[in-house]
Amino acid sequence: MNQTKNSEFLIINGPNLNMLGTREPEIYGSLTLAEIKNYTEKSLEQDNVKLEWYQSNIEGEIVTKIQEASQKNYKALIINPGAYSHTSVAIFDALCLMKCPVIEVHISNTHRREEFRQTKLTAKASTIIMEGLGKIAYLTAVKSQLF
C-alpha cells in the first residue's frame, strides 16, 4: 500500500517494556522490544510509514511525550502504557488531548491475568484497544489506520 497522506505514527511504550525478552517470557514472549520494533518496521516497509518509537519507565516523561504529540500531526498514537494503564490518571488525561486516534496495545491478554490488570484507566481515552496479539500488536495497530 502506498500512502501519500500523513503516515507518521508515534509508538509509546511504558514501564518494564524495556525488559521484554527477559521479563516473564511465558507471558510476554522471548522477543526484546528492539526485536519487536525491527519486526514491525520490516513488515511495514512497503507501506511508506514513519514510526517514531519511545520508551520510558517514568510516568511524567510519558505524559510530557503525549502532550508534545498532541501538538503534532500524527496519523495515530499507539501506546502500550504497561502497568500505568491500570493506575495513571495523568496518562489518561494526556491521552484525552490527542486529536488523532489513540490505539492502546498490550502484548498479553490482560483478561487472562490478575484481576487488577483487567481495569484499564487509559483505555477510556483510547479509540481502539488491542491485546493478546504478542509481537504483532504494534503492526496490527499501524495497519488498522492504513485503510
Side-chain angles (χ1 to χ4, degrees), residues 67-130:
Q67 290 173 348
E68 291 168 355
S70 75
Q71 302 302 309
K72 296 183 179 177
N73 187 29
Y74 288 105
K75 177 84 172 174
L77 167 66
I78 299 165
I79 185 167
N80 184 340
Y84 287 139
S85 65
H86 317 294
T87 62
S88 182
V89 173
I91 292 175
F92 165 83
D93 286 345
L95 290 172
C96 288
L97 295 169
M98 296 303 298
K99 295 169 190 74
C100 66
V102 174
I103 304 164
E104 182 169 331
V105 300
H106 295 276
I107 293 168
S108 70
N109 178 351
T110 62
H111 292 281
R112 296 193 62 167
R113 301 189 58 204
E114 302 92 343
E115 188 174 332
F116 73 86
R117 294 187 194 277
Q118 296 172 20
T119 299
K120 295 175 206 62
L121 296 176
T122 52
K124 294 186 183 300
S126 300
T127 310
I128 299 170
I129 299 130
M130 298 181 183

Side-chain angles (χ1 to χ4, degrees), residues 9-25:
F9 295 81
L10 174 60
I11 301 173
I12 297 177
N13 287 281
N16 296 311
L17 290 159
N18 59 310
M19 300 305 295
L20 287 176
T22 57
R23 178 182 177 231
E24 300 177 277

Side-chain angles (χ1 to χ4, degrees), residues 56-76:
S56 178
N57 293 318
I58 301 170
E59 183 179 29
E61 290 179 357
I62 295 168
V63 168
T64 298
K65 189 70 172 176
I66 295 167
Q67 290 173 348
E68 291 168 355
S70 75
Q71 302 302 309
K72 296 183 179 177
N73 187 29
Y74 288 105
K75 177 84 172 174

Side-chain angles (χ1 to χ4, degrees), residues 2 4 16 18 31 43 48 63 76 90-91 94 96 137 140-141 143:
N2 187 7
T4 55
N16 296 311
N18 59 310
L31 296 178
S43 299
N48 193 28
V63 168
I91 292 175
C96 288
T140 305
K143 288 280 195 181

